[in-house]
Coordinates of all heavy atoms in Angstrom, one line a residue:
W331 N 207.3 78.4 123.2 CA 207.8 77.1 123.7 C 207.5 76.9 125.2 O 208.4 76.8 126.0 CB 209.3 76.9 123.5 CG 209.6 75.5 123.1 CD1 208.9 74.4 123.3 CD2 210.9 75.1 122.4 NE1 209.6 73.3 122.8 CE2 210.8 73.7 122.3 CE3 212.0 75.8 121.9 CZ2 211.8 72.9 121.7 CZ3 213.0 75.1 121.4 CH2 212.9 73.7 121.2
S333 N 204.7 76.6 128.8 CA 203.6 76.0 129.5 C 203.2 76.9 130.7 O 203.8 77.9 130.9 CB 204.1 74.6 130.0 OG 204.2 73.7 128.9
N336 N 206.4 75.7 134.3 CA 207.5 75.0 133.6 C 208.6 74.8 134.6 O 209.3 75.7 135.0 CB 208.0 75.9 132.5 CG 209.1 75.2 131.6 OD1 209.5 74.2 131.9 ND2 209.5 76.0 130.6
I337 N 208.8 73.5 134.9 CA 209.9 73.1 135.9 C 211.0 72.5 135.0 O 210.9 71.3 134.5 CB 209.4 72.1 136.9 CG1 208.2 72.6 137.7 CG2 210.5 71.8 137.9 CD1 208.4 73.9 138.4
F338 N 212.0 73.3 134.7 CA 213.0 73.0 133.6 C 214.3 72.7 134.3 O 215.0 73.6 134.9 CB 213.1 74.2 132.7 CG 213.9 74.0 131.5 CD1 213.3 73.5 130.3 CD2 215.3 74.2 131.5 CE1 214.1 73.4 129.1 CE2 216.1 74.1 130.4 CZ 215.5 73.7 129.2
G339 N 214.8 71.5 134.2 CA 216.1 71.1 134.8 C 216.2 71.3 136.3 O 217.3 71.5 136.8
A340 N 215.1 71.0 137.0 CA 215.2 71.1 138.4 C 216.0 70.1 139.0 O 215.9 68.9 138.7 CB 213.8 71.1 139.1
S364 N 204.1 72.4 120.6 CA 204.6 71.1 121.1 C 204.4 71.0 122.6 O 204.5 69.9 123.2 CB 206.0 70.9 120.7 OG 206.8 71.9 121.3
D365 N 204.3 72.1 123.3 CA 204.2 72.2 124.7 C 202.7 72.7 125.1 O 201.8 72.1 124.8 CB 205.3 73.1 125.3 CG 206.6 72.4 125.2 OD1 206.9 71.8 124.2 OD2 207.4 72.4 126.2
S367 N 201.4 72.8 128.1 CA 200.8 72.1 129.1 C 200.5 72.9 130.4 O 201.0 74.0 130.6 CB 201.8 70.9 129.6 OG 202.0 70.0 128.5
F369 N 201.2 71.8 133.4 CA 202.4 71.6 134.2 C 203.4 70.8 133.3 O 202.9 69.8 132.7 CB 202.1 70.9 135.5 CG 201.0 71.5 136.3 CD1 199.7 71.2 136.1 CD2 201.3 72.4 137.3 CE1 198.7 71.7 136.9 CE2 200.3 73.0 138.1 CZ 199.0 72.6 137.8
I370 N 204.7 71.1 133.4 CA 205.6 70.3 132.6 C 206.9 70.2 133.4 O 207.3 71.2 134.1 CB 205.9 70.9 131.3 CG1 206.8 69.9 130.4 CG2 206.6 72.2 131.3 CD1 206.9 70.3 129.0
V371 N 207.6 69.0 133.4 CA 208.9 68.9 134.0 C 209.8 68.4 132.8 O 209.4 67.6 132.0 CB 208.9 67.8 135.1 CG1 208.4 66.5 134.7 CG2 210.3 67.7 135.7
D372 N 210.9 69.1 132.7 CA 211.6 69.0 131.4 C 213.1 69.1 131.7 O 213.6 69.6 132.7 CB 211.2 70.2 130.5 CG 211.5 70.0 129.0 OD1 212.2 69.0 128.7 OD2 211.1 70.8 128.2
D373 N 214.0 68.7 130.7 CA 215.4 69.0 130.6 C 216.2 68.5 131.8 O 216.5 69.4 132.7 CB 215.6 70.5 130.3 CG 217.1 70.7 129.9 OD1 217.6 70.2 128.9 OD2 217.8 71.4 130.7
I374 N 216.6 67.3 131.9 CA 217.5 66.8 132.9 C 217.0 67.0 134.3 O 217.8 67.1 135.2 CB 219.0 67.2 132.7 CG1 219.2 68.7 133.0 CG2 219.5 66.8 131.3 CD1 220.7 69.0 133.1
G375 N 215.7 67.1 134.5 CA 215.3 67.3 135.9 C 215.4 65.9 136.6 O 215.3 64.8 136.0
T376 N 215.8 66.0 137.9 CA 216.1 64.9 138.7 C 215.1 64.6 139.8 O 215.3 63.6 140.5 CB 217.5 65.0 139.3 OG1 217.6 66.2 140.1 CG2 218.6 65.1 138.2
T378 N 210.8 65.9 140.9 CA 209.7 66.9 141.1 C 208.5 66.2 141.6 O 208.2 65.1 141.1 CB 209.4 67.7 139.8 OG1 210.6 68.4 139.4 CG2 208.4 68.7 140.1
F380 N 204.2 66.7 141.9 CA 203.0 67.4 141.5 C 201.9 66.8 142.4 O 201.6 65.6 142.1 CB 202.7 67.3 140.0 CG 203.7 67.9 139.1 CD1 204.7 67.2 138.5 CD2 203.7 69.3 138.9 CE1 205.6 67.7 137.6 CE2 204.6 69.9 138.0 CZ 205.6 69.1 137.4
S391 N 199.1 69.0 127.3 CA 198.7 68.0 128.4 C 198.4 68.8 129.7 O 198.7 69.9 129.8 CB 199.8 67.0 128.6 OG 200.2 66.3 127.5
I393 N 199.6 67.4 132.6 CA 200.9 67.2 133.1 C 201.8 66.4 132.1 O 201.4 65.4 131.7 CB 200.9 66.4 134.5 CG1 200.0 67.1 135.5 CG2 202.3 66.2 135.0 CD1 199.9 66.3 136.8
R394 N 202.9 67.0 131.8 CA 203.8 66.3 130.8 C 205.2 66.2 131.4 O 205.7 67.0 132.1 CB 203.9 67.2 129.5 CG 204.7 66.5 128.4 CD 204.6 67.2 127.1 NE 205.6 66.6 126.2 CZ 205.8 67.1 124.9 NH1 205.2 68.2 124.6 NH2 206.7 66.4 124.2
L395 N 205.8 65.0 131.1 CA 207.2 64.7 131.5 C 208.0 64.5 130.3 O 207.7 63.7 129.4 CB 207.2 63.4 132.3 CG 206.5 63.3 133.7 CD1 205.0 63.3 133.5 CD2 206.9 62.1 134.5
T396 N 209.1 65.2 130.3 CA 210.1 65.2 129.2 C 211.5 65.2 129.7 O 211.9 66.1 130.5 CB 209.9 66.5 128.3 OG1 208.5 66.5 127.8 CG2 210.8 66.4 127.1
T397 N 212.3 64.3 129.3 CA 213.7 64.1 129.6 C 214.0 64.4 131.0 O 215.0 65.1 131.4 CB 214.6 65.0 128.7 OG1 214.3 66.4 128.9 CG2 214.4 64.7 127.2
S398 N 213.2 63.9 131.9 CA 213.3 64.0 133.4 C 213.1 62.7 134.0 O 212.4 61.9 133.5 CB 212.5 65.2 133.9 OG 212.8 66.4 133.4
T399 N 213.6 62.6 135.3 CA 213.4 61.4 136.1 C 212.8 61.7 137.5 O 212.7 62.9 137.9 CB 214.7 60.6 136.3 OG1 215.6 61.5 136.9 CG2 215.3 60.2 134.9
T401 N 209.8 61.7 138.9 CA 208.6 62.6 139.0 C 207.5 61.9 139.7 O 207.1 60.8 139.3 CB 208.2 63.1 137.6 OG1 209.3 63.7 137.0 CG2 207.0 64.1 137.8
I403 N 203.6 62.0 140.7 CA 202.3 62.6 140.3 C 201.2 62.1 141.2 O 200.7 61.0 141.0 CB 202.0 62.4 138.8 CG1 203.2 62.8 138.0 CG2 200.8 63.1 138.4 CD1 203.2 62.5 136.6
Y423 N 208.7 69.6 115.4 CA 208.2 69.1 116.5 C 206.8 68.5 116.2 O 205.8 69.1 116.5 CB 208.2 70.0 117.6 CG 209.5 70.7 117.9 CD1 209.7 72.1 117.3 CD2 210.5 70.2 118.5 CE1 210.9 72.7 117.4 CE2 211.8 70.8 118.7 CZ 211.9 72.1 118.1 OH 213.2 72.7 118.3
E425 N 205.2 66.0 117.4 CA 204.5 65.3 118.5 C 204.5 66.2 119.7 O 205.3 67.0 119.9 CB 205.1 64.0 118.8 CG 205.1 62.9 117.8 CD 203.7 62.5 117.4 OE1 202.8 62.6 118.3 OE2 203.5 62.0 116.4
P426 N 203.5 66.0 120.6 CA 202.3 65.1 120.4 C 201.1 65.8 119.7 O 200.8 66.9 120.0 CB 202.0 64.8 121.9 CG 202.3 66.1 122.6 CD 203.5 66.7 121.9
F433 N 201.1 62.8 130.2 CA 201.9 62.4 129.0 C 203.3 62.1 129.4 O 204.1 63.0 129.8 CB 201.8 63.4 127.9 CG 202.3 63.0 126.6 CD1 201.4 62.6 125.6 CD2 203.7 63.0 126.3 CE1 201.9 62.3 124.3 CE2 204.2 62.7 125.1 CZ 203.3 62.3 124.0
F434 N 203.8 60.9 129.2 CA 205.2 60.5 129.4 C 205.9 60.5 128.1 O 205.5 59.7 127.2 CB 205.3 59.1 130.1 CG 204.8 59.0 131.5 CD1 203.5 59.0 131.8 CD2 205.7 59.0 132.5 CE1 203.0 58.9 133.1 CE2 205.3 58.9 133.8 CZ 203.9 58.9 134.1
S435 N 206.8 61.4 127.8 CA 207.3 61.6 126.5 C 208.3 60.5 126.0 O 208.4 60.3 124.9 CB 208.1 62.9 126.4 OG 207.2 64.0 126.6
S436 N 208.9 59.8 127.0 CA 209.9 58.8 126.6 C 210.1 57.8 127.8 O 209.6 58.1 128.9 CB 211.2 59.4 126.3 OG 211.8 60.0 127.5
G437 N 210.8 56.7 127.5 CA 211.0 55.7 128.5 C 211.9 56.3 129.6 O 211.8 55.9 130.8
E438 N 212.7 57.3 129.4 CA 213.5 58.0 130.4 C 212.6 58.5 131.5 O 213.0 58.5 132.7 CB 214.3 59.1 129.8 CG 215.2 59.8 130.8 CD 215.9 61.0 130.1 OE1 215.7 61.2 128.9 OE2 216.8 61.6 130.8
T439 N 211.5 59.0 131.2 CA 210.6 59.7 132.2 C 209.9 58.6 133.1 O 209.3 59.0 134.1 CB 209.5 60.5 131.5 OG1 208.7 59.7 130.7 CG2 210.1 61.6 130.7
W440 N 210.0 57.3 132.7 CA 209.4 56.3 133.6 C 210.3 56.0 134.8 O 209.8 55.5 135.8 CB 209.3 54.9 132.9 CG 208.5 55.0 131.6 CD1 207.5 56.0 131.2 CD2 208.5 54.2 130.5 NE1 207.0 55.7 130.0 CE2 207.6 54.6 129.5 CE3 209.2 53.0 130.2 CZ2 207.4 54.0 128.3 CZ3 209.1 52.3 129.0 CH2 208.1 52.8 128.1
N464 N 201.6 56.8 127.0 CA 202.9 56.3 127.0 C 203.4 56.0 128.4 O 204.5 56.5 128.7 CB 203.8 57.2 126.2 CG 205.2 56.6 126.0 OD1 205.3 55.4 125.7 ND2 206.2 57.5 125.9

Side-chain angles (χ1 to χ4, degrees):
W331 218 341
S333 288
N336 184 359
I337 307 301
F338 187 95
S364 62
D365 288 45
S367 297
F369 307 88
I370 189 170
V371 58
D372 199 354
D373 190 64
I374 69 168
T376 59
T378 301
F380 297 98
S391 307
I393 301 173
R394 183 173 175 187
L395 293 73
T396 302
T397 61
S398 295
T399 61
T401 304
I403 305 172
Y423 309 99
E425 295 294 338
F433 190 101
F434 291 78
S435 296
S436 66
E438 180 183 4
T439 60
W440 305 337
N464 194 31

